[in-house]
Amino acid sequence: MVDSVGAIDWNAVVTFIPLVEPPDSSESPDAGPGEGLWFCVRRSEVLVRLDSGAHELPTAVATADLGVDVEQAHFLGLLDDRPVWAADVAAHIDPGDDAVFEPLFTLYGRVPEQLWTLAGRAVQIVEWDRTHRFCGRCGTPTEPAPGERARRCPACHLLAFPRLAPAVIVLVERDGQALLAQGRSFGMTMYSTLAGFVEPGEQLEEAVAREVREEVGIEIADIRYFRSQPWPFPHSLMVGFTARWAGGEIEIDEREIVDAGWFEPDGLPPIPGRLSIARALIDDWLSRTGGMKGE
């Protein structure tokens, strides 16, 4: 049996304070069940308890049943003064009938959005810890660095911090139309805004212009920040922008793009669901042009 999270009023303001170590140094993951939230991560899946069809996060780690090594648990911070932990679970572990491991994608919408964001944080930190057990410079086993989210090599003193890959994503407008494209990696017929990773030494705005030029061959202007979104698939930070067409005709890079075009608000192709910042960019454009938001 996996205990579930106690009642939290998600309609009220819920504050999360990220921390590396518990405020009370005497508090530890094996101190007992307590009322802390536990994100138990198996591969990139998160353990949830099923309660009358609802998905809830566990508050306690049953080490005997789940095989969680609490010595490798990671303290994430405080959610309304409640400690939040992430723990690595062995790949062969299967929970009982009252719990299931859910991928982040399918968990979205089944738990409050703030809880889903924390689940993404937990998955990324656990995966970082898994993949940095040895120094990338000299191969020596690493150890946790006290007081910070890092692993330290005791031999050459190299610090390895959680990996974060910044990426830009942009909605380009022209005469009331939006530029949308179907990427080869989508795996389905869906059109989205253009995106790509930031290169070393590159400003975010430079990355936006370069990605648009490389993928569809046009020039843009008036690049403006929209907002950002942590994207734990596997460890990106999506930085959203809007921009205006400044010249050129669409010439797609067929290695990355299947099709691209300018679309009217009332003539949109299949677009991303509400999980992504791409959809937020499209919905913002629709609201500004008087278009109807889709499902």
Side-chain angles (χ1 to χ4, degrees):
M1 179 71 175
V2 181
D3 296 333
S4 64
V5 59
I8 294 179
D9 184 4
W10 295 102
N11 294 318
V13 176
V14 181
T15 302
F16 175 70
I17 302 175
L19 296 169
V20 176
E21 298 176 343
D24 181 357
S25 59
S26 65
E27 185 174 359
S28 65
D30 56 355
E35 288 298 324
L37 291 176
W38 281 86
F39 293 92
C40 301
V41 181
R42 185 186 69 179
R43 301 187 184 92
S44 60
E45 301 171 322
V46 178
L47 179 69
V48 291
R49 177 178 179 266
L50 304 177
D51 184 11
S52 301
H55 288 62
E56 298 181 349
L57 267 293
T59 59
V61 177
T63 57
D65 295 335
L66 299 178
V68 175
D69 183 356
V70 296
E71 292 182 357
Q72 296 181 9
H74 306 273
F75 183 70
L76 302 185
L78 297 174
L79 184 66
D80 272 7
D81 296 324
R82 180 173 298 183
V84 181
W85 299 88
D88 195 352
V89 178
H92 68 276
I93 296 299
D94 287 316
D97 294 337
D98 62 341
V100 65
F101 282 97
E102 288 274 11
L104 285 175
F105 265 122
T106 60
L107 192 59
Y108 183 78
R110 298 182 178 182
V111 298
E113 188 166 350
Q114 188 173 15
L115 207 56
W116 185 86
T117 301
L118 282 175
R121 180 191 293 256
V123 168
Q124 291 177 85
I125 289 176
V126 167
E127 178 63 15
W128 157 75
D129 186 72
R130 287 175 185 158
T131 56
H132 289 80
R133 300 289 173 83
F134 296 90
C135 178
R137 178 188 288 163
C138 70
T140 302
T142 59
E143 55 191 25
E148 55 185 334
R149 188 81 66 196
R151 294 192 67 88
R152 177 183 177 275
C153 174
C156 71
H157 309 299
L158 179 69
L159 284 174
F161 296 91
R163 181 179 176 184
L164 192 64
V168 293
I169 184 166
V170 58
L171 185 136
V172 183
E173 302 178 47
R174 184 186 74 171
D175 299 329
Q177 299 176 314
L179 175 63
L180 300 175
Q182 180 182 356
R184 291 201 175 275
S185 62
F186 287 175
M188 65 182 74
T189 301
M190 182 184 71
Y191 285 70
S192 185
T193 51
L194 298 178
F197 288 103
V198 181
E199 295 183 353
E202 191 173 47
Q203 296 177 0
L204 296 177
E205 293 81 1
E206 291 174 336
V208 171
R210 174 184 54 76
E211 284 292 339
V212 172
R213 187 183 307 114
E214 290 177 352
E215 294 189 356
V216 295
I218 68 170
E219 299 297 328
I220 59 175
D222 297 338
I223 300 172
R224 298 178 182 273
Y225 174 76
F226 175 69
R227 78 181 196 209
S228 62
Q229 179 188 34
W231 192 245
F233 304 106
H235 41 64
S236 297
L237 173 65
M238 302 295 294
V239 186
F241 292 88
T242 60
R244 177 179 56 84
W245 172 82
E249 298 299 326
I250 294 176
E251 295 183 17
I252 65 172
D253 178 357
E254 295 183 353
R255 297 170 298 179
E256 297 191 33
I257 304 296
V258 175
D259 184 40
W262 297 100
F263 293 90
E264 302 281 350
D266 58 355
L268 291 179
I271 58 176
R274 299 192 183 279
L275 169 61
S276 69
I277 191 173
R279 179 56 179 269
L281 282 162
I282 294 171
D283 282 348
D284 174 73
W285 168 70
L286 289 172
S287 68
R288 290 187 284 103
T289 56
M292 296 292 293
K293 295 183 181 181
E295 294 299 324

